[in-house]
Amino acid sequence: MKPIPTPYYLLDERRLLRNLRIIRRVRERSGAKSVLALKCFSTWCVFDLMRQYMDGTTSSGVYEARLGYEKFGGETHAYSVSYTRADIRDVRRYADKIIFNSLSQLRTLAPEARGCQLGVRVNPGFSYSHFDLADPARQNSRLGVRDGQALRAAASLIRGVMFHFNCENDDFANFSANLDRLGREYGDLLAQLEWVSLGGGLFFTKAGYPVDAFCAKLKAFSQQFGVQVYLEPGEAAITGAAELVTTVLDVVHNATDVAIVDASTEAHMLDVLTYRMNTRLVGRPEGAHKIIIAGRSCLAGDVFGQYSLRSRLKTGQVVRFGDAAGYTMVKKNWFNGMPMPAIAVRRLNGKLELVRQFGYKDFVESLS
Ligand SMILES: *Cc1c(COP(=O)(O)O)cnc(C)c1O
């Protein structure tokens, strides 16, 4: 097969499998089910593999719920920060659980949600996050019910609750203490319910995470309150499983070398800008050559990162950025009318498959 033209996202099923095996181990040892958070990753060409290890999907809106139902299967959880009445009529065809963000939405829309189990999101008032932008318990947060009394008064309308209060939490001691706190503060409510989702943001697939202690903790919590525990991994499910593969188009100099690649942070790896991270380079050893690698959009700050590399980058060389699965493909956009990276997969058997390419037609049809 001839090489795939850059730019493209490259998913690697063997790397994905490493995470999926941990997810299955958590399921087996703790009883906690895992549903994939589609807002993080919706690239459905690898769902045949993922569904063998996970229980289903959870969503942030109607289209994701439908995608989960049609492309993943299993359990379909539907959450949204706010639903319209029409959304509920639509989403109830796909979802088995509908989770409301507020008690007003629950009361108004419950009659429309016939046939689904209902739940609400609770904001426990504490969280773990390095970024205010992504902190669900930030000041004046709109995410979830704060009023414990009103929540208990509505308990007969719901079968479960969802707490999503972590963001990239790799600190098990912190999670463990916070789970104890949830038990102390909401245990009476949980004992009346059938299920509790602990949301996403837990980095239990990270190397070195104490997975067995995590399982024991989840199992004890589930048994203490008689509830089915769910996890909603997004990043933890796909971490390390994709790269954005690009080519250097030019190297310019302004006090330092700046390599320009045929992709863009703004359009193809937006979180790099939002959270001001340095993108991880794959296969480029460190050394003495300082270089900035930047995108080719017209945005002045379209920068993938600053690096010190063993060898200079030259026009025509390939640059691979790691961690390109979560919150990347779901956010790609047509800024500057730049060619959209294709999607390729390296399957478990080692075969490279070009799954989708985008062209001018996709660009023009997304605009009018
Ligand atoms: C974002 C989100 C997730 C997934 O979070 P990750 O950090 O990707 O694991 C899960 N549940 C809810 C409600 C979310 O908003």
Side-chain angles (χ1 to χ4, degrees):
M1 184 173 154
K2 43 180 213 262
I4 299 171
T6 62
Y8 60 95
Y9 296 102
L10 175 61
L11 278 155
D12 186 328
E13 287 195 334
R14 288 183 206 168
R15 300 237 191 104
L16 187 58
L17 188 60
R18 191 202 146 268
N19 302 327
L20 294 172
R21 286 198 167 124
I22 297 173
I23 290 174
R24 183 168 67 186
R25 183 164 135 215
V26 169
R27 169 75 188 293
E28 286 168 359
R29 297 213 178 175
S30 75
K33 296 184 183 180
S34 278
V35 287
L36 174 67
L38 292 172
K39 81 154 194 279
C40 171
F41 182 80
S42 296
T43 310
W44 45 272
C45 61
V46 291
F47 282 2
D48 282 345
L49 175 67
M50 296 185 83
R51 86 164 67 80
Q52 298 170 41
Y53 295 82
M54 302 184 73
D55 294 280
T57 56
T58 187
S59 50
S60 326
V62 177
Y63 287 174
E64 281 186 359
R66 179 172 175 178
L67 183 87
Y69 176 80
E70 292 184 351
K71 300 291 187 193
F72 200 107
E75 293 192 34
T76 307
H77 296 198
Y79 163 73
S80 173
V81 172
S82 229
Y83 289 109
T84 64
R85 202 168 285 277
D87 286 343
I88 297 293
R89 284 189 202 125
D90 205 5
V91 95
R92 74 179 182 212
R93 307 208 307 251
Y94 312 117
D96 31 71
K97 293 185 177 60
I98 298 183
I99 301 169
F100 293 100
N101 183 60
S102 71
L103 295 174
S104 45
Q105 282 246 309
L106 170 70
R107 290 224 158 80
T108 319
L109 298 173
E112 299 290 344
R114 284 183 303 276
C116 296
Q117 291 191 24
L118 303 186
V120 287
R121 177 170 181 172
V122 180
N123 174 352
F126 55 86
S127 58
Y128 180 102
S129 176
H130 297 294
F131 302 98
D132 183 58
L133 184 65
D135 181 356
R138 79 209 290 261
Q139 203 178 13
N140 308 122
S141 173
R142 71 199 186 298
L143 303 175
V145 178
R146 279 294 291 132
D147 181 342
Q149 238 180 335
L151 178 64
R152 283 161 178 88
S156 64
L157 294 174
I158 57 173
R159 308 268 282 271
V161 284
M162 186 259 278
F163 298 95
H164 171 67
F165 62 107
N166 289 284
C167 180
E168 303 205 342
N169 188 351
D170 57 1
D171 177 349
F172 173 69
N174 169 279
F175 170 70
S176 179
N178 279 340
L179 195 61
D180 290 342
R181 189 165 168 196
L182 283 184
R184 283 195 304 275
E185 295 181 12
Y186 295 94
D188 63 308
L189 176 67
L190 294 177
Q192 302 172 49
L193 300 175
E194 291 169 24
W195 49 268
V196 57
S197 172
L198 299 174
L202 298 169
F203 248 160
F204 62 96
T205 55
K206 191 170 170 173
Y209 194 87
V211 177
D212 290 338
F214 181 61
C215 293
K217 191 79 201 175
L218 294 173
K219 188 172 183 180
F221 187 82
S222 161
Q223 286 175 341
Q224 186 179 358
F225 302 108
V227 281
Q228 170 66 50
V229 171
Y230 286 92
L231 303 172
E232 303 180 354
E235 190 63 44
I238 49 71
T239 190
E243 296 170 359
L244 174 61
V245 184
T246 67
T247 301
V248 178
L249 299 181
D250 196 7
V251 181
V252 297
H253 193 86
N254 181 1
T256 183
D257 283 344
V258 184
I260 300 169
V261 298
D262 58 355
S264 157
T265 56
E266 174 84 15
H268 311 137
M269 248 184 151
L270 188 57
D271 268 18
V272 171
L273 283 189
T274 310
Y275 296 102
R276 297 173 183 277
M277 301 178 291
N278 228 30
T279 317
R280 186 167 62 82
L281 281 188
V282 179
R284 293 249 164 227
E286 282 186 34
H289 295 287
K290 293 214 179 312
I291 190 156
I292 292 174
I293 303 181
R296 68 156 149 167
S297 82
C298 63
L299 180 72
D302 184 357
V303 170
F304 284 93
Q306 300 190 33
Y307 309 91
S308 301
L309 302 181
R310 189 179 300 166
S311 45
R312 275 180 208 289
L313 278 181
K314 295 195 196 78
T315 299
Q317 285 182 328
V318 169
V319 170
R320 315 167 85 95
F321 299 104
D323 304 318
Y327 303 99
T328 53
M329 287 177 248
V330 290
K331 292 188 175 189
K332 61 191 164 57
N333 62 67
W334 287 108
F335 184 57
N336 276 206
M338 256 176 303
M340 176 87 63
I343 298 174
V345 185
R346 188 171 302 282
R347 298 292 181 188
L348 283 183
N349 65 11
K351 283 220 175 79
L352 186 63
E353 194 181 312
L354 176 56
V355 175
R356 178 128 8 232
Q357 284 178 294
F358 304 94
Y360 175 72
K361 191 165 180 285
D362 300 294
F363 167 60
V364 81
E365 288 181 356
S366 74
L367 287 167
S368 306

